Structure formats: structure tokens, C-alpha cells
Amino acid sequence: MRFAQTYILGRLRRQTFFSLAEANAAIAAALERINAHVMRRIGVSRRQLFETVEMPVLAPLPDADYQFAEWLLARVSLDYHVEVDGFFYSVPHGLIREQVDVRATTRTIELFHRGLRVAAHQRRYGGRRHGTDPDHMPSAHRRYAEWTPDRFRRWGRSIGPNTEGLVLAILANRPHPEQGFRTCLGVLRLFKDIDPERAELIAARAVAVSALTYKSIASIIANKLERSSRDTEDAIIEHPNLRGPGYFH
């Protein structure tokens, strides 16, 4: 308020202060005189106006501290995630291709659809790029949520070092380890009824010939190639996209 600034500076302009506390005390005293002064036009002081008019309608301060929030518009992608600053946050899968409002603070990412909040995530600044709530997944995806690379690795280790190596190779062969979960689950089913000794031979053979898909590992089992000592060319897995020598003649 310009009046308060002018009044206080006018009263204190000739005084010298030797500490911030001393200056603040003088400012507080001048401010008290302003608030207690009776204004001639209306016959009451500023303090009386505040106490009788404004104070009764004041609302309590919020329990939480104010946080600056940035609002954005985003389109839900086919994997039911929304991108914010290079990280991805899930929404219920039924909102695929829908437009949502994003409220981004330093700590949280909230997503709204038609005014209703549909998701809330802790904001990510590092680590894994996807923040996925299992409740947002389609049922076909949800059953894989309990699996992690470490869990598959422990399962492989329980059979033997070759099987653990096969699991690591499958996961490393994908752009993201999660993309290898389906193959690892398939291998788990294939090895379920096979004794550990043979499973170890199959795993070693699969790694040796880079047979890192479910079909190729199943082919090794079906054709009993785990004990083969022939060169890799002799153990090529049949695949409809492979062209035989006759193709070029």
C-alpha cells in the first residue's frame, strides 16, 4: 500500500539503525500508529474496520503448504500411459486415445478426465521411465505385474547357472527387460516337466546358438538338440522367414 510506505519512510527517514531487528521494531511501531489512527471521513480506525468487517469472514489457512502446479493437455497413448517430461504415467486402460488434463507439481503427477481425477503418481526424475499402477492394466497385462527381472533370474538360478544365463540373455536381448517376461514365462512352462540336468543342457545350447525366443527353445526341446556338438549352422532353428539355398537358384 503506497500510503503505508510513504508514511513509514517519512517517519523513519532521519533515523539511523544498526541492526535489522532495530529497523523492524521501528517499522512495526509506525505501522501500529497507522492502524490505530482514526480516519476523519468515516470516524473509525483501520484496525476497527478489520476487526468488525474482515475478520469475521476470514477462512482458515489450508493445512498443506501451497505448491506451484503446471497444467498440461495430453493424449493417452495406446499403452495407456501419458508422457510428462520424458517419463510415462499410467491411467485406466479404458482411457486409451482420450484427452486428459495433467497437473504437475515438483512431487506429484495428477491426471484428470472430464474434471475427475483418474490417476495420481509420484513424479519421476530418474530410474525407470514408466510409472504403472497395476489397477490400470488390462487383465492380460496385469498377470505379469508381479514378475521382475530379479525374480526370473532367481528362478533360473534355482535350476542352474546355464538357465540363469539364458534368462539374462533373453532379458538383455530386448530394448526393455519387461518385453522378455512373456518369453521367460514360456520357458518356465517348457522346463516345468524337464529334469534340471536336461534343462541346463537346453539352456546352454539356446545361449550358444542365440535361440532366445519361445519357439526356438521349444524347437531345441522337440528335436533333442541340447546334446548336439555340431556347428551352429547345423542347428539352425526352422522359421518360416528363413530362405533355403534353393531360393537363390
Side-chain angles (χ1 to χ4, degrees):
M1 183 177 178
R2 181 174 298 180
F3 171 75
Q5 180 180 3
T6 303
Y7 180 90
I8 293 172
L9 290 176
R11 294 297 184 277
L12 305 182
R13 70 184 184 278
R14 299 187 186 280
Q15 297 186 38
T16 301
F17 302 101
F18 297 96
S19 70
L20 180 61
E22 187 179 351
N24 284 336
I27 292 171
L31 186 61
E32 179 63 29
R33 286 196 296 273
I34 292 174
N35 291 330
H37 177 71
V38 177
M39 295 178 284
R40 286 181 295 178
R41 287 188 179 181
I42 56 178
V44 294
S45 68
R46 290 177 175 83
R47 180 174 299 283
Q48 288 173 312
L49 283 176
F50 171 74
E51 292 175 348
T52 59
V53 178
E54 297 180 9
M55 184 180 289
V57 295
L58 287 178
L61 293 173
D63 294 333
D65 293 339
Y66 170 78
Q67 281 192 330
F68 173 77
E70 183 180 5
W71 287 88
L72 310 165
L73 284 177
R75 182 77 60 179
V76 180
S77 65
L78 293 176
D79 65 354
Y80 55 90
H81 285 71
V82 170
E83 181 181 1
V84 180
D85 290 340
F87 291 87
F88 301 87
Y89 304 90
S90 68
V91 299
H93 67 89
L95 296 177
I96 288 174
R97 295 186 182 278
E98 292 288 328
Q99 182 173 279
V100 294
D101 295 296
V102 181
R103 182 179 183 269
T105 70
T106 56
R107 296 181 180 179
T108 61
I109 297 292
E110 296 175 282
L111 301 123
F112 297 81
H113 181 250
R114 297 181 180 176
L116 297 177
R117 192 175 78 170
V118 294
H121 298 269
Q122 183 177 351
R123 187 162 189 173
R124 293 170 176 266
Y125 293 96
R128 294 177 61 182
R129 296 181 66 197
H130 285 74
T132 305
D133 186 335
D135 291 337
H136 296 162
M137 296 178 173
S139 58
H141 293 182
R142 193 175 301 146
R143 61 195 181 105
Y144 298 114
E146 62 185 16
W147 292 93
T148 65
D150 284 341
R151 184 172 180 182
F152 281 115
R153 184 175 182 176
R154 289 196 300 270
W155 164 76
R157 189 185 304 144
S158 69
I159 297 177
N162 291 338
T163 305
E164 181 183 6
L166 174 59
V167 168
L168 293 176
I170 290 172
L171 298 178
N173 194 47
R174 273 64 173 182
H176 301 287
E178 291 81 359
Q179 295 173 355
F181 286 3
R182 186 185 297 270
T183 299
C184 288
L185 286 171
V187 174
L188 187 155
R189 289 193 297 270
L190 289 174
F191 282 14
K192 183 178 180 180
D193 298 322
I194 296 176
D195 65 82
E197 182 179 353
R198 187 186 177 203
E200 279 287 273
L201 292 173
I202 294 168
R205 183 63 179 171
V207 172
V209 299
S210 297
L212 303 179
T213 66
Y214 175 84
K215 287 185 177 180
S216 59
I217 296 170
S219 179
I220 292 175
I221 296 173
N223 295 290
K224 299 181 179 179
L225 297 175
E226 66 270 14
R227 295 184 181 276
S228 175
S229 60
R230 292 175 294 176
D231 292 338
T232 299
E233 290 184 0
D234 294 332
I236 291 178
I237 308 303
E238 291 187 5
H239 192 282
N241 292 333
L242 291 178
R243 303 167 179 174
Y247 178 87
F248 300 96
H249 299 283

